[in-house]
Amino acid sequence: MESFGFLSFLPVIVALGLAIWTKRVIESLLLGILTGTIMLDISQNGVIHAILFSIVNLFQTIAGHPPNEELGLQGIGLVKSSGRAEIIVMVLLLGAFITVLDRSGGAFAFGEWLAKKVKGKKGAQVSTALMGSSLFTSAYFSSLATGTVFRPIYDRMKISREKLAFFLDSTASPINVIIPISGWVAFMGALMTDNIPSVDDPIAGLVKTIPFNFYNIVMLIMVYLVAAGKIGNFGPMKKAEERAQAGHISENDAEDPAKDVKIKNGKVSDMLLPLGVSIVALVVMGLWNYTITNFTDVPKIPFGGNMMLIVSFVLGLIVAFIKYTASKLMGATEFLDMVIEGTKSAIFGGMVIVLAVTLGDIIRTAPPEGVGAAIFLKDTVADIIPQGIIPVAVFVIAAFMSFSIGTSFGTWAIMMPIAVPLALATGGDPFLAAAAVLSGGTFGDHSSPISDTTIMSSIGASCNHMGHVNTQLPYALTSASIAAVLFLIAGFVI
């Protein structure tokens, strides 16, 4: 058995439905994973065994196991790959870095300085969108760095944390797909050369998808129109903004780790120097590995994206330590205490990521490791898509898949080998089909509550995670609807 058919989506339906209803992310993810492990155990050992070993199976699945080609195992859970452990380390370092910048007073001083430069709320919002769009070497870092800079400004201007998270999330992912020198280019480029016979140069292949990347283009336009006040607040975002105007910066002020915490009398340079070193280090490493090595014979830096973030955060912390202690802003012991406090504040985000990737594994992978929802879609897609609606159908299916499993990369890897050959076989444009896959994958990457990019944006804005998901989703769905119409038209015109 390669999947449970339509029942393959039951774990994600349980997790997403409960999360939206209760706004309790950890518990919802746990129940989603538990649903999947019970389904698997029932199919192999029966109902009684599944009930008796349900808790054991739950935590064994979260801990997981690495891939094993001899046994035909793809790997699942925390120990599936070293990259998963790197994400946890990166999240903890992020918490430490943000806490140090905040407590030093540097972030507040920079916010005060920047607030004088921007003209009102619209200026702050457009500046946020611009910075979020500029840091395209990493979607994670875009959300985290931009959130750190603008969070004090939004609080001062009484703009909701949810709106900040929307700008962070809705620039970080779409810009990475559109800019062909982003941190995602290596993976996207490989998909181009592997699936489109006419593509030899991955960058050239990606450039040809840009005009058809309707969702990402529409989403970025939406962001700037909202930031400039041309599109008003609607849905749950309107309530969040009304609440912020009343003085409540987040859905639950008690969740704000910086609430009632005394900060130092720092300077603007106490923010800019550590953060600047961190950004420069990440940009240099990213451009070196993802751009320079594509055009020259120089060797790559032996770091993946997560390790680049870890290195950049560590460098930022080292610079902050030297600067703060040398200027007598704080002592070495006090600095280290703040680092520890910061890592503690990031534990919740780390837990959410661990559970989210585990649920994604269960949804994607075939039995006995998972329930095979991705395989079920793959096996049924080709039989239900008529020629004229291939682009829009591919976009909708990819969007549904990415929202369900919380990953663009996983969606792209599954859908690209389906969409491109289907387009070629029916005489369609393979670059339009590829763009539909990229657009659909991005939808879930920045709107699904179990997406790591969505989680990072909530962390960067320090807002309630489900509050961010609920306020952003109407804007994402509106952009997706417009994109679907454009893909439908393009399918018959191009």
Side-chain angles (χ1 to χ4, degrees), residues 68-314:
N68 188 317
E69 292 185 7
E70 293 182 1
L71 298 177
L73 299 178
Q74 297 183 31
I76 196 171
L78 181 59
V79 301
K80 177 180 180 178
S81 68
S82 60
R84 302 231 165 141
E86 290 171 358
I87 289 177
I88 304 305
V89 173
M90 183 264 292
V91 170
L92 296 178
L93 283 171
L94 158 71
F97 194 33
I98 288 179
T99 298
V100 165
L101 293 179
D102 281 344
R103 300 288 182 87
S104 71
F108 181 79
F110 181 76
E112 289 287 300
W113 174 82
L114 190 58
K116 296 176 183 177
K117 303 297 180 182
V118 299
K119 296 181 179 180
K121 292 183 177 181
K122 292 181 182 179
Q125 292 175 172
V126 171
S127 298
T128 307
L130 286 170
M131 182 173 178
S133 302
S134 300
L135 299 178
F136 48 76
T137 52
S138 168
Y140 284 177
F141 199 79
S142 175
S143 296
L144 305 176
T146 308
T148 302
V149 169
F150 282 96
R151 192 168 59 249
I153 299 174
Y154 276 50
D155 292 351
R156 183 173 179 268
M157 293 184 173
K158 294 185 177 181
I159 306 174
S160 68
R161 295 274 181 89
E162 287 85 353
K163 197 165 194 180
L164 173 58
F166 163 66
F167 290 135
L168 301 182
D169 211 354
S170 299
T171 52
S173 292
I175 201 67
N176 267 270
V177 180
I178 290 179
I179 300 295
I181 55 172
S182 72
W184 293 0
V185 71
F187 183 72
M188 293 190 297
L191 291 175
M192 294 294 103
T193 55
D194 288 348
N195 293 283
I196 303 179
S198 62
V199 174
D200 295 320
D201 185 334
I203 302 298
L206 286 173
V207 168
K208 291 183 179 180
T209 68
I210 293 175
F212 306 130
N213 237 311
F214 297 131
Y215 176 76
N216 297 295
I217 293 171
V218 171
M219 191 71 247
L220 286 171
I221 293 173
M222 170 79 76
V223 165
Y224 281 96
L225 289 176
V226 172
K230 302 301 182 182
I231 294 179
N233 303 310
F234 60 89
M237 186 70 79
K238 184 176 182 180
K239 294 181 180 179
E241 286 297 286
E242 291 172 350
R243 188 197 62 238
Q245 284 296 307
H248 302 288
I249 59 173
S250 61
E251 188 168 357
N252 183 357
D253 288 347
E255 293 179 0
D256 182 11
K259 183 177 174 64
D260 299 328
V261 173
K262 293 182 179 180
I263 62 174
K264 298 285 184 178
N265 188 27
K267 303 175 182 178
V268 172
S269 61
D270 293 322
M271 165 76 170
L272 288 184
L273 184 59
L275 185 60
V277 168
S278 188
I279 291 175
V280 168
L282 183 65
V283 169
V284 169
M285 289 186 291
L287 288 177
W288 185 278
N289 269 16
Y290 303 136
T291 304
I292 294 175
T293 54
N294 289 328
F295 300 101
T296 65
D297 294 329
V298 297
K300 286 190 174 184
I301 301 171
F303 295 156
N306 292 333
M307 188 56 68
M308 289 181 191
L309 285 165
I310 290 172
V311 171
S312 67
F313 287 151
V314 169

Side-chain angles (χ1 to χ4, degrees), residues 354-368:
V354 169
L355 297 178
V357 297
T358 302
L359 180 60
D361 288 338
I362 290 177
I363 299 301
R364 286 192 300 273
T365 314

